[in-house]
Amino acid sequence: MIIIKSAREIALLREAGRIVGLCHEELKKHVKPGVSTWELNEICERLILENGATPSFKGYGGFPCAVCASVNEVVIHGIPSKKQILKNGDIIAIDIGACYKGYHGDSAWSYTVGKVSGKDEKLMQVTHDALFAGLSQVKDGVHLGDVSAAIGDYINQFGYGIVDRYTGHGVGHELHEDPAIFNFGTKGTGPILKEGMVLAIEPMVNAGTKNTKVLSDGWTVVTMDGKKSAHYEHTILVTKDGYEILTTI
Ligand code: MG
Ligand code: MG
């Protein structure tokens, strides 16, 4: 069941989203060669706590850290580590969740480390633009399939692999609520969006095959062919005429 949020819930979701946005703003200054993914995790965890929230991911299903840090061929759910030092040419997606008074914000963003190849820059740009192609469809009364189709059709022009084992989702009192939001689909299908729904839309795009596997740590999802992957996500509120991005400052 998709939940329509009350004004009170929306206010809390805005604050949770703002805190996640704050973390991404701060990360921009810190993602560079020589920094460990653990340090990036610490920066975010501290900011989340300082703002009166808790990291949504820490302990979720047993995940050990505040953020997911997914470098290069890691698609999602990378575990931050002191041993993982970023180097020039890496790309990293950092996924952050903050829970404020019981309500979650969820947003992932991909970052370049130093100077990256034109090929990797393009993968990131297309994934970013796919998110906004999907968002451009969002408003009260449209089918969820319109959003999914816009994302998938955009990505397909470039021949990339659209990850299909993981999806976007509703967000609220639970980090993951209905509906599942696929990054491909068919217009005119699926549930109808209503004002007051809060959704996390998150294309995950691979340079090569869409296929993925989970490493032996039980978390880290990597591309099957070892090629790179990018991920962008915003939590948004569906409005009468469009949407409001919640995970921004
Ligand atoms: Mg996320
Ligand atoms: Mg999410």
Side-chain angles (χ1 to χ4, degrees):
M1 192 189 73
I2 311 173
I3 306 163
I4 309 285
K5 269 68 183 183
S6 67
R8 174 190 160 269
E9 290 177 304
I10 290 167
L12 296 175
L13 285 159
R14 269 199 193 101
E15 179 58 12
R18 189 191 68 82
I19 295 165
V20 172
L22 212 57
C23 289
H24 279 298
E25 277 304 308
E26 187 63 24
L27 281 178
K28 284 182 193 164
K29 302 178 213 159
H30 295 276
V31 176
K32 55 179 84 156
V35 114
S36 73
T37 52
W38 178 257
E39 289 170 75
L40 300 176
N41 178 75
E42 294 275 278
I43 288 164
C44 292
E45 182 162 12
R46 197 174 57 237
L47 253 181
I48 290 168
L49 294 171
E50 277 172 7
N51 282 274
T54 54
S56 305
F57 303 162
K58 198 171 188 177
Y60 186 87
F63 189 77
C65 294
V67 305
C68 300
S70 303
V71 179
N72 294 335
E73 76 281 8
V74 180
V75 180
I76 49 170
H77 303 166
I79 302 172
S81 162
K82 286 177 186 165
K83 290 185 203 148
Q84 187 170 38
I85 312 292
L86 297 180
K87 54 185 198 310
N88 189 50
D90 286 342
I91 65 171
I92 178 172
I94 301 176
D95 197 348
I96 306 171
C99 181
Y100 182 76
K101 297 188 177 171
Y103 287 81
H104 298 273
D106 185 8
S107 169
W109 211 254
S110 291
Y111 297 91
T112 56
V113 182
K115 176 83 184 126
V116 309
S117 71
K119 210 171 66 178
D120 293 344
E121 237 163 38
K122 186 175 172 198
L123 174 68
M124 291 173 62
Q125 188 67 50
V126 168
T127 310
H128 172 276
D129 292 350
L131 168 60
F132 284 88
L135 291 179
S136 73
Q137 299 301 308
V138 173
K139 63 176 178 182
D140 185 283
V142 306
H143 285 272
L144 183 60
D146 299 357
V147 178
S148 295
I151 295 169
D153 293 350
Y154 185 78
I155 297 164
N156 281 333
Q157 302 174 75
F158 301 91
Y160 292 136
I162 303 175
V163 175
D164 58 6
R165 286 188 192 159
Y166 306 92
T167 65
H169 49 92
V171 190
H173 190 50
E174 302 294 333
L175 178 61
H176 295 121
E177 296 181 350
D178 287 340
I181 305 173
F182 285 86
N183 291 305
F184 57 91
T186 307
K187 276 185 189 174
T189 64
I192 292 175
L193 301 187
K194 295 274 173 233
E195 194 177 356
M197 288 178 179
V198 175
L199 308 172
I201 299 179
E202 49 177 317
M204 291 152 264
V205 180
N206 298 346
T209 178
K210 67 176 182 155
N211 294 325
T212 58
K213 62 180 176 188
V214 181
L215 296 185
S216 59
D217 62 19
W219 281 106
T220 312
V221 176
V222 298
T223 57
M224 201 67 100
D225 59 9
K227 292 187 178 171
K228 289 181 183 172
S229 184
H231 182 201
Y232 289 85
E233 173 187 32
H234 267 312
T235 298
I236 59 108
L237 169 69
V238 179
T239 63
K240 191 169 180 306
D241 303 312
Y243 63 93
E244 174 187 332
I245 294 175
L246 300 184
T247 36
T248 190
I249 56 171

